[in-house]
Amino acid sequence: MAKRWEDVEELMDEMVRVDCPPNIATFNTLIAYLCRNGLYEQVHETLSQMPEHGCTPDLRMYATIIDGICKDGHHEVANDILSRMPSYGLKPNVVCYNTVLKGLCSAERWEEAEDLLAEMFQKDCPLDDVTFNILVDFFCQNGLVDRVIELLEQMLEYGCIPDVITYTTVINGFCKEGLIDEAVMLLKNMSTCGCKPNTISYTIVLKGLCRAERWVDAEELISHMIQQGCLPNPVTFNTLINFLCKKGLVEQAIELLKQMLVNGCSPDLISYSTVIDGLGKAGKTEEALELLNVMINKGITPNTIIYSSMASALSREGSTDKVIQMFDSIQDATVRSDAVLYNAVISSLCKRWETDRAIDFFAYMVSSGCMPNESTYTILIRGLASEGLVREAQDLLSELCSRRYRQMLVGGGDYCGGITRMDLPT
DNA sequence: GTAGGGTTAG
């Protein structure tokens, strides 16, 4: 629609001509679209057109604008608009506050978030369950789990009801901090608050138990969840398969892959991907290739991740030709090669002392629009150096350094479309 | 036509 803005303007003129003038709903639709796409010049323009149609921005429109601005990361502007709303005769509601609160939390600007909460109390704007969920998520994302139980209690005191996602967020926060026993306890206690854990809640705790290598507890929990009528889903299985593979227990992972079908789950792309990678890392490249074929025969199309696992496995066993063959075979397919895949190819060439070809590949990578990452440079620099091409290695190293410097410079921008100059009609 | 949050693979 961005390109057809003239059409929109023309359509609005026509609406007036046929005596069906745009109303507040028309403008809200437009503003929502423009905000979603960061087209603040047009937001400004549209707002200035509203008075001639007898329309005034309402609470909902402000909420939309504030949301768009927050999602673009311009919290000061959002906060500024929020504070100017009363002068336009509008009292910000809980939706407006929550939107800005979420923006401040995402930007980890906790002090300002606290100020905003204080303002909500002071301006007599009651918090709701969304407010609490934003805070719970923020605490969990930032490892502040020691404060989160208290927050849940405050939430209940306030008359807001945590739901299964609220509890699962907290459980996940505990697991991420290694507090597995706390996670298990909450999983068991949430039912007493009238909220039953679901498959996702159990899967998260299972992952935590696996990470802590508490296999017996994990098995018990699986039985427990099934007893409770919560069936494992593909993600549950994939989580377990992943841990088995990481521990080198690929045979057991394959067993679990078969068990999925018995339990009414079909192994998906990620199930196969995990086991294929596990087989490759265990040096069972032939078996990995066979499983890849099984997967393809089941109608599942391999993606870049699977190919890069395969390429790494082939590269590891020194089958450089097979790596290149595979790479060539997917060039006309829909899979888009990424840096990890290119790195596997480049690395296998370096292994065979073919740094010339590796450099050619590097050039092809860049010309195909794939951005090299640090590993790409590391692989090449090592390859060049081990062939005694010190000068070339040094050049590449300085290129890497200047790239890092450029990346440091990017992202310092402070531009915010036309919204800073926005002169909202009243 | 307004705000929020949870799980899997290289």
Side-chain angles (χ1 to χ4, degrees):
Chain A
M1 183 168 115
K3 291 180 203 127
R4 303 192 53 182
W5 184 242
E6 298 84 14
D7 296 352
V8 172
E9 288 182 318
E10 207 173 290
L11 187 64
M12 296 240 281
D13 288 342
E14 192 180 320
M15 286 171 81
V16 175
R17 270 202 306 279
V18 300
D19 206 22
C20 174
N23 59 16
I24 182 73
T26 319
F27 283 109
N28 268 322
T29 311
L30 271 175
I31 294 283
Y33 173 82
L34 295 170
C35 284
R36 263 201 309 277
N37 292 281
L39 302 167
Y40 294 115
E41 291 289 349
Q42 281 94 331
V43 169
H44 188 244
E45 200 181 315
T46 306
L47 286 169
S48 63
Q49 284 170 357
M50 288 180 66
E52 61 194 76
H53 296 288
C55 292
T56 307
D58 59 5
L59 257 181
R60 183 175 286 220
M61 184 173 283
Y62 272 93
T64 307
I65 295 171
I66 288 172
D67 184 43
I69 295 169
C70 279
K71 291 207 167 109
D72 274 349
H74 300 290
H75 319 97
E76 321 73 25
V77 183
N79 225 342
D80 189 43
I81 293 176
L82 191 72
S83 62
R84 272 159 41 193
M85 283 176 68
S87 65
Y88 303 128
L90 290 169
K91 183 177 183 274
N93 62 5
V94 67
V95 177
C96 297
Y97 277 110
N98 283 345
T99 307
V100 178
L101 182 69
K102 167 70 187 160
L104 290 171
C105 285
S106 302
E108 295 183 32
R109 294 164 71 150
W110 178 235
E111 284 185 9
E112 286 157 86
E114 277 188 315
D115 290 345
L116 196 69
L117 283 169
E119 190 184 316
M120 289 174 79
F121 281 113
Q122 187 210 332
K123 298 269 173 73
D124 206 24
C125 173
L127 317 186
D128 66 4
D129 50 344
V130 175
T131 320
F132 281 102
N133 284 332
I134 292 168
L135 296 174
V136 166
D137 182 55
F138 173 76
F139 281 10
C140 290
Q141 293 275 343
N142 292 278
L144 304 167
V145 285
D146 50 327
R147 296 166 65 180
V148 90
I149 289 293
E150 195 187 339
L151 187 63
L152 283 180
E153 282 163 5
Q154 284 173 344
M155 185 172 181
L156 286 163
E157 276 168 28
Y158 207 84
C160 296
I161 312 295
D163 63 12
V164 63
I165 300 183
T166 314
Y167 284 112
T168 307
T169 305
V170 177
I171 288 171
N172 196 28
F174 280 142
C175 285
K176 277 186 181 160
E177 293 297 306
L179 303 168
I180 313 299
D181 291 320
E182 285 79 354
V184 173
M185 200 152 21
L186 187 56
L187 185 77
K188 292 188 172 155
N189 287 342
M190 59 188 275
S191 305
T192 63
C193 298
C195 188
K196 283 185 72 170
N198 62 17
T199 300
I200 299 181
S201 327
Y202 280 106
T203 302
I204 290 168
V205 177
L206 275 173
K207 182 183 168 185
L209 288 170
C210 285
R211 259 173 57 177
E213 304 199 4
R214 289 166 58 172
W215 313 114
V216 178
D217 291 336
E219 271 181 44
E220 267 177 26
L221 194 64
I222 295 172
S223 315
H224 179 93
M225 75 184 275
I226 295 170
Q227 249 172 34
Q228 296 294 310
C230 254
L231 297 180
N233 66 13
V235 179
T236 318
F237 279 104
N238 292 346
T239 304
L240 298 169
I241 287 172
N242 184 37
F243 274 97
L244 289 171
C245 287
K246 291 286 175 302
K247 294 302 291 179
L249 304 167
V250 198
E251 297 309 320
Q252 291 189 42
I254 293 172
E255 197 46 49
L256 206 51
L257 199 66
K258 291 175 186 157
Q259 282 292 313
M260 286 181 79
L261 281 172
V262 182
N263 286 277
C265 282
S266 295
D268 60 12
L269 180 71
I270 296 181
S271 325
Y272 285 109
S273 171
T274 310
V275 179
I276 287 170
D277 188 65
L279 284 168
K281 291 212 164 91
K284 299 179 174 175
T285 317
E286 234 5 86
E287 280 183 58
L289 276 168
E290 279 167 27
L291 191 60
L292 179 62
N293 282 325
V294 170
M295 186 192 93
I296 294 171
N297 288 333
K298 287 204 169 189
I300 301 176
T301 310
N303 64 5
T304 312
I305 295 182
I306 293 213
Y307 282 120
S308 72
S309 283
M310 264 332 308
S312 304
L314 290 167
S315 163
R316 215 175 289 121
E317 63 168 29
S319 306
T320 307
D321 293 329
K322 285 187 185 163
V323 174
I324 293 166
Q325 205 181 354
M326 197 186 76
F327 183 85
D328 287 341
S329 75
I330 59 171
Q331 286 316 294
D332 44 359
T334 45
V335 272
R336 198 179 156 76
S337 307
D338 66 3
V340 184
L341 182 53
Y342 276 106
N343 290 351
V345 181
I346 292 172
S347 160
S348 73
L349 284 166
C350 286
K351 243 187 194 165
R352 220 168 56 175
W353 313 100
E354 294 189 47
T355 13
D356 281 356
R357 277 180 83 190
I359 295 283
D360 287 346
F361 233 95
F362 176 67
Y364 176 69
M365 171 182 186
V366 174
S367 69
S368 308
C370 179
M371 184 70 114
N373 59 21
E374 288 211 10
S375 297
T376 319
Y377 286 97
T378 310
I379 293 164
L380 277 171
I381 289 168
R382 257 196 216 131
L384 289 165
S386 64
E387 277 198 49
L389 301 166
V390 179
R391 179 75 240 160
E392 287 81 352
Q394 276 173 343
D395 287 348
L396 215 52
L397 184 63
S398 59
E399 186 182 325
L400 175 60
C401 293
S402 73
R403 230 189 75 173
R404 273 210 202 117
Y405 179 65
R406 274 205 303 278
Q407 271 167 359
M408 254 168 53
L409 294 181
V410 180
D414 201 16
Y415 177 67
C416 178
I419 206 75
T420 44
R421 290 179 278 108
M422 198 168 70
D423 181 22
L424 292 163
T426 52

